[in-house]
Amino acid sequence: MSSLLKVDNEIKTKVDAFRERITGEAEDLVANFFPKKLLELDHFLKDPILNIHELKDIHSEINLTVPDPILLTNSHDGLEGQNAKKRKLEDAASEDNCQVAGTKVFVMPGGMMKSNNKLVDLIEKVKPEIRTLIEKCNTVKMWVQLLIPRIEDGNNFGVSIQEETVAELRTVEGEAASYLDQISRYYITRAKLVSKIAKYPHVEDYRRTVTEIDEKEYISLKIIVSELRNQYVTLHDMILKNIEKIKRPRSSNADALY
């Protein structure tokens, strides 16, 4: 069949070398890296940084003071009757279209508003683990795809196992990528809330919402680490249980049955 398509020998040699390299890397990942990584993450889950019982310990001070209230005086005092009546009409019209404008913010009083350093440190530890899982899943997925034989009628049970394995690896990749999106959304949401606090410093609910967001993110990060560990366990177990069909999807004695 190869005679139907002319392939340069040098390119074919390089492609074969690539396949061998991917095979070696993927088999080492499944046999050694996956079990080691799941044990590392299991140990990480027992770290004190992920086992803070009082969530108030992860709160970050919001260094935005509440300004003194502005005392309003009766601006109509001393006005003549006609002018006072005109001002009252204008005030009534403005009240109909009243919107809370808030405080104009030109600069933060204490300089740059810092992030929650405790959560930033934890995120910087979790993000490399997410990236590692994505990269390793991609390598193993490529390996399994290269093992899929040419399409034939019948005797495709092993091929279906290979396809299920590829689908599981692709799902894990997608879930891991969504964790990175979740971290980005946390920063954006928190930034918007801090901006609201700067603009409306007298509204306590905005300040409380920031602490709630921080607590939620801390819990989410612990769940992410747990999920990363579980995904390594699942992939390692699934591939080992089906390694024979994954590497040899079609039995060599299939033709002898007929």
Side-chain angles (χ1 to χ4, degrees), residues 30-197:
V30 174
N32 300 307
F33 183 83
F34 282 9
K36 288 180 181 178
K37 205 63 182 176
L38 71 88
L39 293 175
E40 287 180 13
L41 291 173
D42 188 61
H43 184 265
F44 184 31
L45 282 169
K46 299 175 184 177
D47 193 288
I49 195 175
L50 284 174
N51 290 278
I52 298 175
H53 297 291
E54 295 291 337
L55 292 180
K56 64 181 181 180
D57 293 339
I58 65 163
H59 293 174
S60 177
E61 182 181 359
I62 302 174
N63 190 22
L64 290 173
T65 58
V66 179
D68 295 331
I70 300 174
L71 298 178
L72 299 177
T73 58
N74 189 355
S75 59
H76 297 160
D77 291 346
L79 293 178
E80 297 179 357
Q82 185 176 0
N83 291 337
K85 183 177 180 181
K86 181 179 180 181
R87 173 60 66 86
K88 287 180 181 179
L89 292 174
E90 291 175 352
D91 289 348
S94 63
E95 287 176 1
D96 293 338
N97 300 321
C98 179
Q99 291 184 355
V100 180
T103 305
K104 291 184 178 181
V105 181
F106 298 99
V107 64
M108 291 293 187
M112 184 177 70
M113 187 66 194
K114 297 289 186 180
S115 303
N116 188 321
N117 290 329
K118 295 178 182 178
L119 285 178
V120 171
D121 292 342
L122 183 55
I123 287 172
E124 292 304 312
K125 292 181 179 180
V126 174
K127 280 175 65 177
E129 300 294 346
I130 298 173
R131 188 187 67 183
T132 298
L133 178 61
I134 294 174
E135 292 174 352
K136 302 311 181 185
C137 279
N138 186 268
T139 299
V140 177
K141 183 181 68 175
M142 176 59 66
W143 169 59
V144 178
Q145 287 176 322
L146 291 174
L147 289 173
I148 297 177
R150 66 182 182 182
I151 300 173
E152 293 181 359
D153 292 333
N155 196 22
N156 286 321
F157 177 69
V159 177
S160 66
I161 293 177
Q162 290 177 322
E163 291 173 346
E164 285 291 333
T165 305
V166 170
E168 180 64 23
L169 288 162
R170 187 176 289 113
T171 299
V172 171
E173 274 186 295
E175 290 180 357
S178 70
Y179 300 152
L180 296 175
D181 292 336
Q182 178 180 323
I183 292 172
S184 299
R185 287 196 301 271
Y186 160 71
Y187 282 127
I188 293 173
T189 303
R190 195 177 193 278
K192 289 179 179 179
L193 286 170
V194 172
S195 300
K196 288 287 188 181
I197 295 173

Side-chain angles (χ1 to χ4, degrees), residues 216-253:
K216 178 184 175 183
E217 183 64 14
Y218 175 78
I219 295 171
S220 297
L221 288 170
K222 184 173 183 178
I223 293 174
I224 287 174
V225 176
S226 178
E227 285 297 319
L228 293 175
R229 179 202 59 187
N230 295 344
Q231 286 163 342
Y232 278 117
V233 174
T234 303
L235 292 175
H236 178 68
D237 183 67
M238 178 182 184
I239 295 174
L240 281 189
K241 285 179 178 178
N242 300 283
I243 189 64
E244 184 177 353
K245 287 294 184 182
I246 290 174
K247 296 190 72 172
R248 291 187 292 272
R250 292 197 176 109
S251 56
S252 58
N253 60 347

Side-chain angles (χ1 to χ4, degrees), residues 55-56 59-60 62 190 193-194 196-197 200-216:
L55 292 180
K56 64 181 181 180
H59 293 174
S60 177
I62 302 174
R190 195 177 193 278
L193 286 170
V194 172
K196 288 287 188 181
I197 295 173
Y200 305 102
H202 294 87
V203 182
E204 184 182 3
D205 287 343
Y206 285 132
R207 297 175 184 265
R208 289 188 177 275
T209 305
V210 170
T211 61
E212 292 292 334
I213 289 291
D214 287 346
E215 292 178 4
K216 178 184 175 183

